[in-house]
Amino acid sequence: MKKTSILLSLLILLNLSCSTNDSDATVSLWVDSERIDCIGEAEQTCYKVQESSIIDEANWHLLYDSIQDFDEQYETGYIYRISVIKINIDNPPADGSSMKYILNRVISKELDE
């Protein structure tokens, strides 16, 4: 019985230590239909994104980071509305991002006309 209590306590502590950071958030992003050339750590292509309820053509921002589990799904020519988990990285490398984006789900995918 004592071993079971110790094991249960260890599992609870492990679960608490693996929980997400308080600054993590789930947000909705619009992703534009084309990636554009940009320079971050090196020359690359960036998503144009915005966190708003409706698309404002004057409000696109460059996202220099990848979006885990979305990069493989992205198709040029479609505007996406996606839900992502935005994770704050506490001690990022000097040349790295302080944020990590993970796809939660694709809300919509519409052909850009």
Side-chain angles (χ1 to χ4, degrees):
M1 181 71 176
K2 187 174 183 178
K3 287 182 182 179
T4 304
S5 296
I6 292 171
L7 181 60
L8 183 58
S9 297
L10 288 173
L11 287 173
I12 291 170
L13 285 173
L14 179 63
N15 187 34
L16 291 173
S17 67
C18 293
S19 65
T20 58
N21 187 328
D22 289 337
S23 62
D24 298 351
T26 301
V27 297
S28 294
L29 293 178
W30 289 103
V31 181
D32 199 18
S33 60
E34 292 186 27
R35 296 179 80 169
I36 62 169
D37 293 333
C38 60
I39 299 176
E41 295 172 21
E43 288 186 32
Q44 63 189 59
T45 57
C46 293
Y47 292 113
K48 292 192 312 182
V49 300
Q50 53 183 277
E51 284 184 44
S52 59
S53 56
I54 59 171
I55 295 175
D56 176 359
E57 289 300 328
N59 199 24
W60 292 108
H61 302 280
L62 295 181
L63 179 65
Y64 292 86
D65 302 310
S66 64
I67 302 172
Q68 184 178 318
D69 300 328
F70 179 68
D71 294 340
E72 303 81 23
Q73 297 181 38
Y74 179 80
E75 291 182 74
T76 300
Y78 291 89
I79 296 176
Y80 290 84
R81 178 78 164 162
I82 61 174
S83 170
V84 297
I85 301 167
K86 192 174 171 182
I87 300 172
N88 186 40
I89 299 172
D90 287 334
N91 293 308
D95 59 349
S97 176
S98 63
M99 299 301 296
K100 178 177 182 177
Y101 297 85
I102 303 172
L103 178 68
N104 186 30
R105 69 184 178 100
V106 174
I107 299 168
S108 66
K109 175 183 175 182
E110 297 177 15
L111 188 60
D112 187 12
E113 298 177 20

